Protein backbone atom coordinates (compact mmCIF):
# COMPACT_ATOMS: atom_id res chain seq x y z
CA UNK A 1 0.00 0.00 0.00
CA UNK A 2 2.83 2.34 0.96
CA UNK A 3 4.65 1.71 -2.31
CA UNK A 4 1.43 2.33 -4.27
CA UNK A 5 1.04 5.67 -2.48
CA UNK A 6 4.63 6.64 -3.28
CA UNK A 7 3.99 5.62 -6.88
CA UNK A 8 0.86 7.79 -7.12
CA UNK A 9 2.67 10.77 -5.59
CA UNK A 10 5.57 10.30 -8.03
CA UNK A 11 3.12 9.98 -10.92
CA UNK A 12 1.41 13.17 -9.83
CA UNK A 13 4.68 15.08 -9.72
CA UNK A 14 5.67 13.87 -13.18
CA UNK A 15 2.13 14.34 -14.50
CA UNK A 16 1.88 17.96 -13.53
CA UNK A 17 5.54 18.60 -14.38
CA UNK A 18 4.98 17.25 -17.88
CA UNK A 19 1.56 18.73 -18.24
CA UNK A 20 2.24 22.35 -17.47
CA UNK A 21 3.98 23.19 -20.73
CA UNK A 22 0.62 23.85 -22.33
CA UNK A 23 -1.24 24.91 -19.23
CA UNK A 24 0.41 28.28 -18.58
CA UNK A 25 -1.99 30.30 -20.71
CA UNK A 26 -5.73 29.99 -21.18
CA UNK A 27 -6.59 26.58 -22.67
CA UNK A 28 -8.29 26.54 -26.08
CA UNK A 29 -10.78 23.92 -24.87
CA UNK A 30 -12.06 23.08 -21.39
CA UNK A 31 -11.11 19.40 -21.75
CA UNK A 32 -9.68 16.71 -24.02
CA UNK A 33 -11.27 13.24 -23.94
CA UNK A 34 -9.27 10.53 -25.69
CA UNK A 35 -10.55 7.21 -27.10
CA UNK A 36 -8.52 4.60 -28.93
CA UNK A 37 -5.85 1.91 -28.84
CA UNK A 38 -2.16 1.55 -27.96
CA UNK A 39 -1.17 4.50 -30.16
CA UNK A 40 -2.77 6.75 -27.54
CA UNK A 41 -3.15 4.55 -24.40
CA UNK A 42 -1.53 6.45 -21.53
CA UNK A 43 -1.57 3.58 -19.03
CA UNK A 44 -5.06 2.07 -18.82
CA UNK A 45 -3.83 -1.43 -19.61
CA UNK A 46 -1.55 -1.32 -16.54
CA UNK A 47 -4.70 -1.91 -14.50
CA UNK A 48 -6.21 -4.90 -16.34
CA UNK A 49 -5.11 -8.53 -16.90
CA UNK A 50 -3.67 -8.36 -20.41
CA UNK A 51 -0.59 -9.22 -22.45
CA UNK A 52 -0.88 -5.82 -24.17
CA UNK A 53 1.15 -3.77 -21.68
CA UNK A 54 4.05 -1.35 -21.76
CA UNK A 55 4.67 -0.84 -18.04
CA UNK A 56 8.35 -1.82 -18.16
CA UNK A 57 11.65 -0.33 -19.30
CA UNK A 58 12.75 0.64 -21.90
CA UNK A 59 9.20 1.95 -22.55
CA UNK A 60 9.07 5.47 -21.15
CA UNK A 61 12.86 5.84 -21.24
CA UNK A 62 12.49 9.44 -22.47
CA UNK A 63 9.42 10.16 -20.34
CA UNK A 64 11.33 9.47 -17.13
CA UNK A 65 9.85 6.06 -16.32
CA UNK A 66 7.42 3.54 -17.87
CA UNK A 67 3.85 4.89 -17.73
CA UNK A 68 2.11 2.30 -19.88
CA UNK A 69 2.54 4.37 -23.05
CA UNK A 70 3.69 2.23 -25.97
CA UNK A 71 6.49 4.63 -26.76
CA UNK A 72 9.89 5.82 -25.58
CA UNK A 73 8.24 9.13 -24.58
CA UNK A 74 5.10 11.04 -25.40
CA UNK A 75 2.25 10.00 -27.65
CA UNK A 76 0.45 12.04 -30.30
CA UNK A 77 -2.33 12.97 -27.86
CA UNK A 78 0.19 14.09 -25.23
CA UNK A 79 1.44 16.64 -27.76
CA UNK A 80 -2.16 17.27 -28.80
CA UNK A 81 -3.07 18.22 -25.23
CA UNK A 82 -0.15 20.66 -25.18
CA UNK A 83 -1.37 22.30 -28.42
CA UNK A 84 -4.76 22.72 -26.73
CA UNK A 85 -3.09 24.36 -23.73
CA UNK A 86 -4.09 21.49 -21.45
CA UNK A 87 -2.09 19.26 -19.09
CA UNK A 88 -1.52 15.60 -19.98
CA UNK A 89 -4.78 13.69 -19.70
CA UNK A 90 -4.85 10.95 -17.00
CA UNK A 91 -5.85 7.37 -17.87
CA UNK A 92 -9.40 6.52 -16.78
CA UNK A 93 -8.39 3.45 -14.77
CA UNK A 94 -5.71 5.28 -12.80
CA UNK A 95 -6.39 6.80 -9.36
CA UNK A 96 -5.45 10.16 -10.92
CA UNK A 97 -8.58 10.41 -13.06
CA UNK A 98 -11.13 10.88 -10.28
CA UNK A 99 -12.83 14.02 -9.05
CA UNK A 100 -11.47 17.37 -10.12
CA UNK A 101 -8.65 15.81 -12.15
CA UNK A 102 -11.21 14.64 -14.70
CA UNK A 103 -12.29 18.23 -15.46
CA UNK A 104 -9.46 18.76 -17.97
CA UNK A 105 -10.18 15.45 -19.69
CA UNK A 106 -9.69 11.71 -19.38
CA UNK A 107 -7.94 9.12 -21.56
CA UNK A 108 -9.98 5.92 -22.11
CA UNK A 109 -7.71 4.36 -24.78
CA UNK A 110 -6.78 0.73 -24.30
CA UNK A 111 -4.06 -1.21 -26.11
CA UNK A 112 -5.39 -4.01 -28.39
CA UNK A 113 -8.85 -2.39 -28.53
CA UNK A 114 -10.78 -2.05 -31.75
CA UNK A 115 -14.03 -0.86 -33.25
CA UNK A 116 -15.28 -4.46 -33.13
CA UNK A 117 -15.65 -5.99 -29.67
CA UNK A 118 -13.82 -9.21 -30.62
CA UNK A 119 -10.71 -7.42 -31.90
CA UNK A 120 -7.55 -8.12 -29.91
CA UNK A 121 -9.18 -10.72 -27.66
CA UNK A 122 -6.14 -13.02 -27.97
CA UNK A 123 -4.24 -10.53 -25.77
CA UNK A 124 -6.67 -10.98 -22.91
CA UNK A 125 -8.52 -8.06 -21.34
CA UNK A 126 -8.81 -4.71 -23.12
CA UNK A 127 -11.44 -1.99 -23.08
CA UNK A 128 -13.20 -2.10 -26.46
CA UNK A 129 -14.36 1.14 -28.04
CA UNK A 130 -17.90 0.34 -26.85
CA UNK A 131 -16.51 -0.14 -23.34
CA UNK A 132 -14.61 3.15 -23.52
CA UNK A 133 -17.82 5.00 -24.40
CA UNK A 134 -19.48 3.43 -21.34
CA UNK A 135 -16.55 4.66 -19.22
CA UNK A 136 -17.06 8.18 -20.63
CA UNK A 137 -20.72 7.96 -19.61
CA UNK A 138 -19.61 6.93 -16.09
CA UNK A 139 -17.18 9.89 -15.92
CA UNK A 140 -19.99 12.30 -16.77
CA UNK A 141 -22.41 10.81 -14.24
CA UNK A 142 -20.03 10.01 -11.36
CA UNK A 143 -17.41 12.75 -11.60
CA UNK A 144 -18.30 15.68 -13.86
CA UNK A 145 -21.95 16.37 -13.01
CA UNK A 146 -21.21 17.59 -9.49
CA UNK A 147 -18.95 20.41 -10.77
CA UNK A 148 -21.76 22.07 -12.71
CA UNK A 149 -24.65 24.08 -11.30
CA UNK A 150 -27.11 22.79 -13.86
CA UNK A 151 -27.38 20.40 -16.85
CA UNK A 152 -27.09 23.31 -19.32
CA UNK A 153 -23.60 24.24 -18.02
CA UNK A 154 -22.47 20.61 -18.25
CA UNK A 155 -23.83 20.42 -21.82
CA UNK A 156 -21.94 23.56 -22.77
CA UNK A 157 -18.70 22.22 -21.25
CA UNK A 158 -19.02 18.90 -23.12
CA UNK A 159 -19.91 20.68 -26.36
CA UNK A 160 -16.75 22.79 -26.14
CA UNK A 161 -14.48 19.88 -25.19
CA UNK A 162 -12.36 18.11 -27.82
CA UNK A 163 -13.05 14.40 -28.33
CA UNK A 164 -10.12 12.53 -29.91
CA UNK A 165 -10.78 9.13 -31.52
CA UNK A 166 -7.88 7.02 -32.76
CA UNK A 167 -9.21 3.52 -33.42
CA UNK A 168 -9.33 0.94 -36.21
CA UNK A 169 -5.73 -0.27 -36.67
CA UNK A 170 -6.25 -3.31 -34.44
CA UNK A 171 -9.33 -4.30 -36.42
CA UNK A 172 -6.79 -5.09 -39.13
CA UNK A 173 -3.56 -6.21 -37.45
CA UNK A 174 -5.26 -7.96 -34.52
CA UNK A 175 -8.29 -9.30 -36.34
CA UNK A 176 -8.68 -9.28 -40.15
CA UNK A 177 -4.99 -9.99 -40.85
CA UNK A 178 -4.96 -12.94 -38.41
CA UNK A 179 -6.97 -15.59 -40.30
CA UNK A 180 -5.70 -18.32 -37.95
CA UNK A 181 -7.43 -16.62 -34.99
CA UNK A 182 -10.30 -14.59 -36.48
CA UNK A 183 -12.80 -15.51 -39.18
CA UNK A 184 -13.48 -11.98 -40.51
CA UNK A 185 -11.22 -12.35 -43.58
CA UNK A 186 -13.14 -15.47 -44.62
CA UNK A 187 -16.48 -13.70 -44.11
CA UNK A 188 -15.78 -10.27 -45.62
CA UNK A 189 -13.97 -8.88 -48.63
CA UNK A 190 -11.69 -5.89 -47.95
CA UNK A 191 -14.42 -3.47 -49.10
CA UNK A 192 -17.15 -5.18 -47.06
CA UNK A 193 -14.98 -5.24 -43.96
CA UNK A 194 -14.27 -1.51 -44.25
CA UNK A 195 -18.05 -0.98 -44.61
CA UNK A 196 -18.68 -3.04 -41.45
CA UNK A 197 -16.10 -1.03 -39.47
CA UNK A 198 -17.53 2.31 -40.58
CA UNK A 199 -21.13 1.27 -39.96
CA UNK A 200 -20.18 0.12 -36.43
CA UNK A 201 -18.11 3.25 -35.79
CA UNK A 202 -20.91 5.51 -36.98
CA UNK A 203 -23.30 4.04 -34.39
CA UNK A 204 -20.61 4.38 -31.68
CA UNK A 205 -20.03 8.04 -32.57
CA UNK A 206 -23.80 8.66 -32.41
CA UNK A 207 -23.67 7.29 -28.88
CA UNK A 208 -20.93 9.79 -27.97
CA UNK A 209 -23.00 12.55 -29.57
CA UNK A 210 -26.02 11.55 -27.46
CA UNK A 211 -23.83 11.84 -24.34
CA UNK A 212 -23.00 15.43 -25.28
CA UNK A 213 -19.86 15.19 -27.46
CA UNK A 214 -19.85 17.77 -30.29
CA UNK A 215 -16.28 18.53 -31.42
CA UNK A 216 -14.83 15.22 -32.58
CA UNK A 217 -11.47 14.43 -34.15
CA UNK A 218 -11.24 11.22 -36.19
CA UNK A 219 -7.68 10.04 -36.75
CA UNK A 220 -7.27 7.91 -39.87
CA UNK A 221 -5.29 4.70 -39.69
CA UNK A 222 -1.60 4.86 -40.57
CA UNK A 223 -0.02 2.76 -43.36
CA UNK A 224 0.01 -0.55 -41.45
CA UNK A 225 1.86 -2.22 -44.32
CA UNK A 226 4.93 -0.15 -43.35
CA UNK A 227 5.21 -1.18 -39.68
CA UNK A 228 8.15 -3.44 -38.72
CA UNK A 229 5.76 -6.15 -37.48
CA UNK A 230 4.23 -6.55 -40.96
CA UNK A 231 7.58 -6.13 -42.78
CA UNK A 232 9.03 -8.99 -40.72
CA UNK A 233 6.36 -11.39 -42.05
CA UNK A 234 6.88 -10.71 -45.75
CA UNK A 235 9.76 -12.09 -47.77
CA UNK A 236 11.24 -10.64 -50.96
CA UNK A 237 10.68 -7.22 -52.47
CA UNK A 238 8.20 -4.80 -51.09
CA UNK A 239 6.93 -1.94 -53.17
CA UNK A 240 8.22 1.34 -51.67
CA UNK A 241 9.43 -0.64 -48.66
CA UNK A 242 5.89 -1.41 -47.50
CA UNK A 243 3.35 -4.21 -47.93
CA UNK A 244 1.05 -2.75 -50.60
CA UNK A 245 -1.81 -5.18 -50.10
CA UNK A 246 -2.19 -4.19 -46.44
CA UNK A 247 -1.88 -0.47 -47.20
CA UNK A 248 -4.58 -0.77 -49.88
CA UNK A 249 -6.88 -2.41 -47.34
CA UNK A 250 -6.33 0.33 -44.75
CA UNK A 251 -6.91 2.98 -47.43
CA UNK A 252 -10.41 1.55 -48.03
CA UNK A 253 -11.12 2.24 -44.35
CA UNK A 254 -9.62 5.75 -44.43
CA UNK A 255 -11.57 6.85 -47.53
CA UNK A 256 -14.79 5.83 -45.79
CA UNK A 257 -13.73 7.45 -42.51
CA UNK A 258 -13.18 10.81 -44.22
CA UNK A 259 -16.60 10.45 -45.90
CA UNK A 260 -18.14 9.59 -42.53
CA UNK A 261 -16.75 12.82 -41.04
CA UNK A 262 -18.42 14.78 -43.87
CA UNK A 263 -21.70 12.89 -43.48
CA UNK A 264 -21.86 13.32 -39.71
CA UNK A 265 -21.08 17.04 -40.03
CA UNK A 266 -24.35 17.40 -41.94
CA UNK A 267 -26.52 14.87 -40.06
CA UNK A 268 -25.70 15.53 -36.39
CA UNK A 269 -26.88 19.06 -35.51
CA UNK A 270 -24.29 21.24 -33.75
CA UNK A 271 -21.47 18.75 -34.27
CA UNK A 272 -18.16 19.39 -35.98
CA UNK A 273 -15.92 16.56 -37.19
CA UNK A 274 -12.29 16.87 -38.19
CA UNK A 275 -10.50 14.07 -40.07
CA UNK A 276 -6.75 13.65 -39.53
CA UNK A 277 -5.01 12.22 -42.57
CA UNK A 278 -2.35 10.30 -40.65
CA UNK A 279 -1.89 7.84 -43.53
CA UNK A 280 -0.40 10.24 -46.10
CA UNK A 281 1.73 12.04 -43.53
CA UNK A 282 3.15 8.84 -42.05
CA UNK A 283 3.67 7.28 -45.49
CA UNK A 284 5.73 10.33 -46.43
CA UNK A 285 7.74 10.05 -43.20
CA UNK A 286 8.55 6.43 -44.07
CA UNK A 287 9.35 7.20 -47.72
CA UNK A 288 11.23 10.48 -47.17
CA UNK A 289 12.53 10.39 -43.59
CA UNK A 290 15.24 13.02 -44.18
CA UNK A 291 12.51 15.58 -44.96
CA UNK A 292 11.54 15.29 -41.27
CA UNK A 293 15.02 15.04 -39.81
CA UNK A 294 14.70 11.25 -39.47
CA UNK A 295 17.06 8.55 -40.73
CA UNK A 296 15.76 5.01 -40.07
CA UNK A 297 12.25 4.40 -41.34
CA UNK A 298 11.79 0.63 -41.59
CA UNK A 299 13.29 -0.73 -38.41
CA UNK A 300 12.22 -0.72 -34.77
CA UNK A 301 14.47 1.12 -32.33
CA UNK A 302 13.56 -1.59 -29.80
CA UNK A 303 12.61 -4.96 -31.27
CA UNK A 304 13.87 -8.37 -32.36
CA UNK A 305 14.24 -10.34 -35.59
CA UNK A 306 13.84 -8.92 -39.12
CA UNK A 307 13.31 -5.15 -39.03
CA UNK A 308 12.96 -5.52 -35.23
CA UNK A 309 9.42 -6.57 -36.04
CA UNK A 310 9.34 -10.31 -35.33
CA UNK A 311 9.15 -9.82 -31.57
CA UNK A 312 8.45 -6.42 -30.06
CA UNK A 313 10.46 -4.60 -27.38
CA UNK A 314 11.15 -6.89 -24.38
CA UNK A 315 11.56 -5.95 -20.71
CA UNK A 316 14.91 -4.30 -20.03
CA UNK A 317 16.01 -4.69 -23.66
CA UNK A 318 18.64 -2.18 -24.76
CA UNK A 319 17.00 0.15 -27.31
CA UNK A 320 18.85 2.02 -30.06
CA UNK A 321 20.77 5.05 -28.79
CA UNK A 322 19.76 7.49 -31.56
CA UNK A 323 16.03 7.26 -30.88
CA UNK A 324 15.36 10.70 -32.35
CA UNK A 325 16.46 9.38 -35.77
CA UNK A 326 13.94 6.51 -35.89
CA UNK A 327 10.36 6.54 -37.18
CA UNK A 328 9.46 3.38 -35.23
CA UNK A 329 10.02 2.79 -31.55
CA UNK A 330 8.94 -0.87 -31.45
CA UNK A 331 7.36 -3.39 -33.85
CA UNK A 332 4.09 -1.42 -34.02
CA UNK A 333 4.42 2.12 -32.65
CA UNK A 334 6.11 5.41 -33.62
CA UNK A 335 8.87 7.06 -31.58
CA UNK A 336 8.26 10.19 -29.55
CA UNK A 337 9.95 12.17 -32.34
CA UNK A 338 7.57 10.75 -34.94
CA UNK A 339 4.59 11.44 -32.65
CA UNK A 340 5.70 15.04 -32.27
CA UNK A 341 5.81 15.46 -36.07
CA UNK A 342 2.36 13.86 -36.47
CA UNK A 343 0.87 16.08 -33.75
CA UNK A 344 2.38 19.21 -35.29
CA UNK A 345 0.83 18.35 -38.66
CA UNK A 346 -2.60 17.46 -37.27
CA UNK A 347 -3.16 19.53 -34.10
CA UNK A 348 -1.25 22.81 -34.55
CA UNK A 349 -2.31 26.07 -36.19
CA UNK A 350 -0.33 25.12 -39.29
CA UNK A 351 -1.67 21.56 -39.59
CA UNK A 352 -1.52 20.39 -43.23
CA UNK A 353 -3.04 16.96 -42.69
CA UNK A 354 -6.29 17.90 -40.98
CA UNK A 355 -9.64 18.34 -42.80
CA UNK A 356 -11.57 20.56 -43.19
CA UNK A 357 -9.73 22.57 -40.48
CA UNK A 358 -7.02 21.96 -37.88
CA UNK A 359 -7.80 20.81 -34.34
CA UNK A 360 -6.46 24.19 -33.17
CA UNK A 361 -9.16 25.92 -35.25
CA UNK A 362 -11.79 23.41 -34.14
CA UNK A 363 -11.07 24.28 -30.51
CA UNK A 364 -11.50 28.00 -31.25
CA UNK A 365 -14.96 27.54 -32.80
Amino acid sequence: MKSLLICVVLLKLVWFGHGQSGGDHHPLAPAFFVFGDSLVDSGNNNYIPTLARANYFPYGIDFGFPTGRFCNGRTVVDYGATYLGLPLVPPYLSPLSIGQNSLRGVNYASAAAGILDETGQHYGARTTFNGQISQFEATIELHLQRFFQNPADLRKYLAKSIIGINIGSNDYINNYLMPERYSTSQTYSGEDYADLLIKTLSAQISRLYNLGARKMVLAGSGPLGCIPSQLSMVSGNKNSGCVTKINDMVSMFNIRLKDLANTLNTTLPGSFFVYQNVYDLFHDMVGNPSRYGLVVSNEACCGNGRYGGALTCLPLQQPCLDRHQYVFWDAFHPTETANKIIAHNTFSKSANYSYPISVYELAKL
Side-chain angles (χ1 to χ4, degrees):
M1 190 64 201
K2 206 173 189 180
S3 61
L4 177 71
L5 195 64
I6 290 166
C7 221
V8 169
V9 170
L10 180 69
L11 251 175
K12 266 201 143 136
L13 288 173
V14 173
W15 213 260
F16 295 114
H18 269 279
Q20 286 317 311
S21 50
D24 300 338
H25 43 74
H26 194 64
L28 297 175
F32 185 27
F33 294 98
V34 177
F35 300 83
D37 52 31
S38 57
L39 290 166
V40 292
D41 184 348
S42 59
N44 282 309
N45 277 27
N46 294 352
Y47 299 90
I48 56 177
T50 177
L51 295 171
R53 275 191 180 183
N55 58 343
Y56 54 84
F57 271 114
Y59 286 96
I61 190 168
D62 297 308
F63 197 97
F65 61 98
T67 59
R69 287 167 173 78
F70 287 72
C71 187
N72 56 307
R74 295 191 189 201
T75 66
V76 171
V77 294
D78 290 335
Y79 286 110
T82 304
Y83 279 115
L84 293 170
L86 291 165
L88 300 194
V89 183
Y92 173 78
L93 293 175
S94 119
L96 294 181
S97 75
I98 53 174
Q100 203 153 352
N101 286 353
S102 57
L103 272 174
R104 291 297 188 88
V106 176
N107 185 323
Y108 304 93
S110 174
I115 294 166
L116 304 180
D117 286 345
E118 68 183 53
T119 290
Q121 63 190 8
H122 61 284
Y123 280 104
R126 69 256 167 266
T127 311
T128 63
F129 188 33
N130 280 322
Q132 293 175 36
I133 298 167
S134 297
Q135 290 176 339
F136 178 57
E137 189 170 11
T139 298
I140 295 169
E141 288 173 8
L142 302 176
H143 300 299
L144 295 176
Q145 262 172 3
R146 71 178 103 149
F147 293 108
F148 296 89
Q149 299 268 303
N150 55 60
D153 288 347
L154 175 61
R155 274 200 301 275
K156 195 175 163 189
Y157 157 88
L158 289 170
K160 284 195 165 298
S161 295
I162 299 290
I163 312 294
I165 300 167
N166 192 328
I167 197 109
S169 301
N170 285 320
D171 294 292
Y172 287 96
I173 56 176
N174 286 309
N175 188 329
Y176 195 79
L177 296 171
M178 282 193 160
E180 69 289 353
R181 288 183 185 271
Y182 299 89
S183 62
T184 42
S185 60
Q186 280 103 61
T187 314
Y188 301 97
S189 68
E191 300 272 357
D192 289 344
Y193 189 61
D195 286 338
L196 170 72
L197 293 180
I198 294 297
K199 187 180 165 208
T200 310
L201 183 62
S202 180
Q204 291 163 331
I205 288 170
S206 292
R207 222 183 124 198
L208 282 172
Y209 176 85
N210 290 333
L211 290 170
R214 291 296 179 267
K215 296 183 179 185
M216 297 190 237
V217 181
L218 308 181
S221 181
L224 299 175
C226 304
I227 66 175
S229 161
Q230 294 299 327
L231 297 183
S232 74
M233 296 182 215
V234 176
S235 55
N237 285 338
K238 290 169 292 298
N239 182 20
S240 75
C242 300
V243 187
T244 312
K245 190 178 146 206
I246 294 174
N247 281 349
D248 289 348
M249 225 177 268
V250 171
S251 295
M252 293 174 198
F253 171 74
N254 284 333
I255 289 164
R256 287 162 173 77
L257 185 63
K258 191 177 179 182
D259 286 346
L260 179 67
N262 290 332
T263 305
L264 295 173
N265 269 336
T266 54
T267 56
L268 296 177
S271 71
F272 202 116
F273 287 82
V274 164
Y275 169 74
Q276 294 179 322
N277 180 9
V278 177
Y279 183 98
D280 285 344
L281 170 60
F282 205 84
H283 200 272
D284 194 46
M285 287 164 68
V286 169
N288 305 292
S290 59
R291 195 179 286 176
Y292 301 90
L294 298 163
V295 179
V296 186
S297 64
N298 65 349
E299 208 166 301
C301 168
C302 187
N304 302 274
R306 294 179 70 214
Y307 303 102
L311 191 59
T312 198
C313 191
L314 296 168
L316 304 179
Q317 186 175 337
Q318 185 62 50
C320 67
L321 293 175
D322 42 359
R323 296 184 282 280
H324 60 284
Q325 296 185 352
Y326 277 67
V327 174
F328 292 100
W329 160 247
D330 64 11
F332 304 95
H333 307 96
T335 55
E336 177 178 75
T337 303
N339 283 331
K340 190 176 186 177
I341 295 164
I342 296 166
H344 176 73
N345 282 284
T346 52
F347 279 91
S348 76
K349 252 186 232 186
S350 54
N352 309 318
Y353 289 87
S354 199
Y355 302 98
I357 57 175
S358 71
V359 179
Y360 175 87
E361 291 165 314
L362 174 68
K364 299 211 101 166
L365 287 179

